[in-house]
Structures are given as structure tokens and as C-alpha cells.
Amino acid sequence: MFLQVSLSVIFTAVGVVIAAVGDFSFDLFGYSMALTSVFFQTMYLILVEKSGADDGLSSVELMLYNSLLSLPFLLVVIVVTGEFPTSLSLLFEKANSLSFLVILILSLVMGIVLNFTMFLCTIVNSALTTTIVGVLKGVGSTTLGFVLLGGVQVHALNVTGLVINTAGGVWYSYAKYQQKKSKPRKIMSDVEAHHK
């Protein structure tokens, strides 16, 4: 079963490489930023997994600590890039608009739900599973972007890469399902894991 999981991850990565080769609007800065983001997200998920397992922290506690630790860095970036005055003036300008406030609150709630489910998935499963689920979500949003937003030359390599990527993600999900099915164990809730 371990072999299937490993091969499915490799299959998923090969799909990403093939799709990238098919990107004729290659932008070195864009790809370097994407790779940097992937690296830090991987480290972040591993830290969440280890903190949840080793320290017995729940998803909500991990979100709280993550927010408290990230806030100083976010504030520094906002001030250094000069976005703070612009963002603040835009917020005050749009504060009287009901549609803006509804969209702002909806975005905040969706962000909280997304982070909670990501932390919970990482604690219950693993950082790798969360990453593969993210890959499958990314395939859906990429496909929708092709159709709805345009601006990208759809090429056989893009489509082939996305298909291979999706197949790798589905294969991984199936292999993990088979692995869990073959090893029955008691699954603890987030609250039980915290009190353990």
C-alpha cells in the first residue's frame, strides 16, 4: 500500500511538470513565487500536523496560535509595501456600501471555514493528504479559470498534465482509503485528541 501512495504522489507531481511544460507564457518570477509558496505551505502543514499530534492541540487552538504568530509579519509586510494607508482609506470609503460589507463578511467567514477544515484535515489525516486534496481543488479551479477567465493558451500538454495530476490525486485517495480500510482503528474527534 505504501508503494501505491508513493507512486500516486509521483504521478501527481509528473502531471504538474507536464502542465508547466505546456505553459507557453512562462514567467520565471511567477514560477519562483509559486515554488516558494509550495515550500512554505508544505512546511506550514507539517508544523500543523506535528503540533496537533505531539502537543494535542485542536484545530481551533492551532488557528488561534497561527493567527497570533502571523499577525506581526502581516503587519510588517502591509506597512513595508505601502498597502496600509491605501487599504485603510479604501475600507473607510466603502464602509457605507451594504454590498461591500456583505462580501467582506462572507469572505472572512469563508476564510475561517477554509482554514479550519484545512487544519482539521491535517490533524486527522496528514500534511500529505491535505496537500493532495489541495491539488484536486486546484485542478478544479484551474479548469474553471481556463473556461471562465481565458487569457491562457489551452494546449494538449496543459490538458494532459491536468488529467495526469487528477488521476494521481484520485489514485492517492483510493490508496489511502484502502490503507485505512485494511487497518481498522478508533478515530478520535478533535476534542478527544486534545484531552488525550
Side-chain angles (χ1 to χ4, degrees):
M1 210 47 70
F2 177 75
L3 179 64
Q4 279 196 35
V5 170
S6 301
L7 288 175
S8 66
V9 170
I10 291 168
F11 205 66
T12 302
V14 167
V16 170
V17 171
I18 290 173
V21 168
D23 183 8
F24 295 115
S25 60
F26 180 81
D27 179 16
L28 182 62
F29 180 74
Y31 273 94
S32 62
M33 289 293 105
L35 287 173
T36 304
S37 172
V38 167
F39 173 77
F40 281 113
Q41 185 176 14
T42 302
M43 294 299 112
Y44 171 76
L45 289 175
I46 290 171
L47 183 63
V48 167
E49 180 181 0
K50 295 292 182 195
S51 298
D54 296 346
D55 300 333
L57 298 175
S58 70
S59 299
V60 175
E61 290 170 320
L62 284 170
M63 284 178 61
L64 174 67
Y65 293 135
N66 177 60
S67 299
L68 291 175
L69 292 172
S70 299
L71 191 59
F73 296 105
L74 178 63
L75 290 175
V76 167
V77 168
I78 289 172
V79 170
V80 168
T81 58
E83 288 188 25
F84 184 71
T86 308
S87 301
L88 201 56
S89 65
L90 187 63
L91 181 64
F92 284 128
E93 180 183 314
K94 299 284 187 180
N96 295 331
S97 169
L98 179 63
S99 60
F100 173 77
L101 291 176
V102 168
I103 291 171
L104 178 66
I105 291 170
L106 188 62
S107 298
L108 290 171
V109 169
M110 287 170 45
I112 292 168
V113 169
L114 176 67
N115 276 327
F116 176 76
T117 55
M118 185 180 72
F119 281 40
L120 186 61
C121 179
T122 304
I123 290 171
V124 171
N125 298 298
S126 69
L128 181 59
T129 299
T130 304
T131 302
I132 296 294
V133 169
V135 164
L136 291 173
K137 175 202 65 78
V139 167
S141 59
T142 300
T143 305
L144 278 174
F146 280 159
V147 174
L148 299 177
L149 302 176
V152 176
Q153 290 180 328
V154 179
H155 190 271
L157 285 173
N158 296 114
V159 175
T160 303
L162 284 173
V163 168
I164 291 172
N165 190 286
T166 304
V170 170
W171 184 13
Y172 175 85
S173 301
Y174 178 75
K176 289 301 276 186
Y177 172 73
Q178 290 298 328
Q179 192 177 42
K180 286 210 181 212
K181 202 166 105 174
S182 67
K183 293 182 193 175
R185 63 182 187 136
K186 183 181 182 283
I187 299 174
M188 288 186 280
S189 72
D190 204 20
V191 175
E192 288 175 325
H194 173 65
H195 294 296
K196 185 175 112 172

